[in-house]
């Protein structure tokens, strides 16, 4: 009899443990986290890039061959003439963050975030610097898109980023990752149109370079993005769908490891001023944008611009449910 009771108690215990395990699995399966947690597939694949120039403006991927439209093929193939090109067009991108600081080489400092749980169960953010290398497709280990373009004009002119510029999700089910994307334009210098190819390609104003960051689709969020904003950042003013106000965020400005103990809730410029900086992108457009935005003023001749495209890990829409799928970046420059 005692053996039977013991067996029943043991069976009850096992059943309770199994139920607890089941509920824990359900909770973890439905929770929403900022960035992407370490057990997630964090890729956006493939990347489709198109750059279009209009209104008396010519564009080149190598500073020698001038066109009106550039594609992935042009940007990666630029290395045939532009031997020092560092154009990174990976097959997939992962969340990174930046404050738009440019180093002496003319590259913008980007930081790859990693989220892990500490012993208390809190989600801890760490960051490592990620610098681009030339390469494309599966051969590239890059976490973001980066490439140079050269713009040639016959007169001084102000250039707009037209309303046809956009970032779109190309699969049937829009997971919302397009809402966390950013594009930056780093102006690296200017010279005359008759300068040598070596001088044109070598333009680099380094730390003095001007940077403009564009945040597309700022007004739209999925229900998961709304939940992430609420649960991680304490933002309760957002609604699923369009028509939302701009959400401020803090970019990562340096490397720090998990030992720093920075929780996602404290990953901001107010609580961690040494590691983060408040960012207000110079250009912000809603998902149904119909307005051209002033980008920069070009002098007569050739101007070199380095373009970055990435998923901003500090954006409220960068969360597990948004990962995966095909994303397309379209840029169009035109005379104002």
């Amino acid at each position: 009899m005692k053996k039977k009771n013991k067996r029943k108690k043991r069976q009850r215990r096992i059943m309770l443990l199994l139920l607890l395990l089941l509920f824990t699995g359900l909770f973890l399966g439905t929770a929403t986290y900022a960035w992407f947690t370490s057990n997630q597939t964090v890729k956006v694949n493939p990347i489709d890039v198109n750059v279009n120039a209009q209104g008396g403006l010519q564009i080149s991927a190598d500073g020698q061959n001038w066109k009106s439209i550039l594609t992935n093929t042009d940007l990666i193939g630029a290395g045939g003439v532009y031997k020092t090109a560092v154009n990174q067009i990976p097959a997939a991108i992962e969340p990174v963050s930046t404050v738009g600081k440019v180093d002496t080489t003319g590259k913008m400092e980007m930081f790859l975030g990693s989220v892990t749980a500490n012993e208390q169960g809190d989600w801890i953010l760490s960051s490592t610097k990620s610098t681009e290398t030339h390469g494309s497709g599966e051969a590239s280990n890059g976490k973001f898109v980066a490439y140079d373009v050269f713009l040639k004009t016959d007169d001084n002119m102000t250039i707009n980023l037209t309303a046809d510029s956009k970032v779109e999700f190309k699969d049937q089910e829009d997971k919302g990752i397009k809402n966390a994307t950013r594009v930056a334009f780093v102006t690296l210098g200017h010279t005359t149109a008759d300068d040598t190819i070596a001088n044109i390609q070598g333009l680099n104003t380094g730390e003095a370079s001007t940077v403009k960051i564009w945040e597309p689709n700022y007004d739209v969020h999925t229900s998961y993005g709304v939940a992430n904003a609420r649960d991680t950042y304490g933002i309760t003013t957002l609604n699923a769908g369009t028509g939302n106000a701009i959400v401020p965020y803090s970019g990562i400005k340096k490397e720090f490891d998990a030992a720093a103990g920075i929780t996602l809730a404290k990953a901001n410029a107010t609580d961690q001023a040494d590691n983060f900086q408040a960012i207000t992108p110079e250009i912000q457009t809603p998902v149904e944008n119909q307005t051209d935005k002033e980008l920069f003023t070009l002098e007569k001749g050739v101007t070199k611009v380095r373009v970055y495209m990435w998923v901003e890990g500090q954006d409220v829409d960068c969360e597990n449910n948004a990962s995966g799928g095909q994303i397309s970046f379209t840029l169009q420059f035109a005379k104002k």
Side-chain angles (χ1 to χ4, degrees):
M1 192 69 170
K2 285 183 180 178
K3 285 185 178 179
K4 276 188 180 178
N5 287 335
K6 280 185 181 179
R7 195 180 306 116
K8 284 182 180 177
K9 284 181 181 177
R10 195 179 300 114
Q11 286 173 341
R12 265 195 228 103
R13 246 187 250 115
I14 291 170
M15 285 298 294
L16 285 170
L17 286 171
L18 286 172
L19 284 170
L20 180 61
L21 183 62
L22 174 63
F23 284 124
T24 302
L26 286 171
F27 172 75
L28 290 174
T30 57
T32 298
Y33 303 108
W35 289 82
F36 293 135
T37 47
S38 56
N39 63 337
Q40 290 291 313
T41 301
V42 295
K43 310 240 173 159
V44 179
N45 177 49
I47 307 302
D48 184 21
V49 178
N50 289 281
V51 188
N52 189 335
Q54 294 185 345
L57 190 63
Q58 296 183 70
I59 193 166
S60 174
D62 56 26
Q64 179 172 299
N65 299 292
W66 299 95
K67 307 177 70 173
S68 61
I69 298 175
L70 298 179
T71 64
N72 293 35
T73 303
D74 297 308
L75 297 170
I76 291 302
V81 173
Y82 181 14
K83 301 298 183 184
T84 57
V86 185
N87 290 351
Q88 178 173 276
I89 315 287
I93 58 178
E94 302 182 27
V96 293
S97 186
T98 183
V99 299
K101 181 182 177 183
V102 180
D103 64 20
T104 56
T105 68
K107 295 183 176 65
M108 199 165 70
E109 295 185 350
M110 309 290 279
F111 297 92
L112 177 68
S114 177
V115 179
T116 54
N118 64 11
E119 291 179 357
Q120 290 73 44
D122 298 318
W123 292 107
I124 302 298
L125 179 65
S126 60
S127 77
T128 54
K129 193 171 183 180
S130 180
T131 303
E132 61 264 31
T133 57
H134 190 71
S136 65
E138 298 295 342
S140 172
N141 293 318
K143 311 303 181 185
F144 53 90
V145 175
Y147 56 87
D148 291 334
V149 294
F150 300 85
L151 300 170
K152 184 163 71 171
T153 69
D154 295 328
D155 296 292
N156 297 343
M157 64 173 66
T158 299
I159 301 301
N160 279 346
L161 183 68
T162 76
D164 287 327
S165 300
K166 54 196 170 185
V167 181
E168 299 175 288
F169 194 78
K170 304 299 284 189
D171 288 351
Q172 288 184 344
E173 181 190 359
D174 188 344
K175 297 183 177 182
I177 195 62
K178 72 178 192 300
N179 308 329
T181 56
R182 299 290 187 277
V183 179
F185 306 92
V186 182
T187 305
L188 291 175
H190 166 269
T191 189
T192 58
D194 60 354
D195 203 349
T196 65
I197 295 302
N199 285 345
I200 290 172
Q201 294 175 348
L203 288 169
N204 176 23
T205 45
E207 294 173 326
S209 304
T210 59
V211 179
K212 276 199 172 181
I213 296 176
W214 169 39
E215 177 181 358
N217 309 319
Y218 76 77
D219 69 324
V220 61
H221 307 285
T222 65
S223 58
Y224 295 112
V226 172
N228 183 47
R230 179 195 65 217
D231 299 339
T232 303
Y233 300 105
I235 299 171
T236 59
T237 56
L238 304 182
N239 298 304
T242 60
N244 289 279
I246 293 167
V247 180
Y249 72 98
S250 297
I252 295 176
K253 65 180 183 181
K254 62 187 289 189
E255 290 186 310
F256 52 86
D257 57 27
I262 301 174
T263 62
L264 289 174
K266 299 291 185 181
N268 58 70
T270 301
D271 295 301
Q272 292 285 334
D274 288 342
N275 298 307
F276 297 85
Q277 179 180 315
I279 301 298
T280 303
E282 289 79 4
I283 301 174
Q284 295 171 310
T285 56
V287 69
E288 298 295 342
N289 180 49
Q290 297 180 358
T291 307
D292 293 357
K293 299 292 184 179
E294 188 172 310
L295 189 54
F296 36 57
T297 298
L298 300 181
E299 295 179 59
K300 176 182 177 180
V302 177
T303 301
K304 181 180 177 181
V305 178
R306 187 154 185 81
V307 181
Y308 288 83
M309 298 170 164
W310 73 99
V311 171
E312 175 55 60
Q314 288 288 98
D315 189 290
V316 297
D317 293 295
C318 183
E319 46 79 30
N320 285 346
N321 299 282
S323 64
Q326 181 182 358
I327 200 166
S328 173
F329 292 87
T330 298
L331 301 181
Q332 186 180 86
F333 305 136
K335 181 179 179 181
K336 185 175 179 180

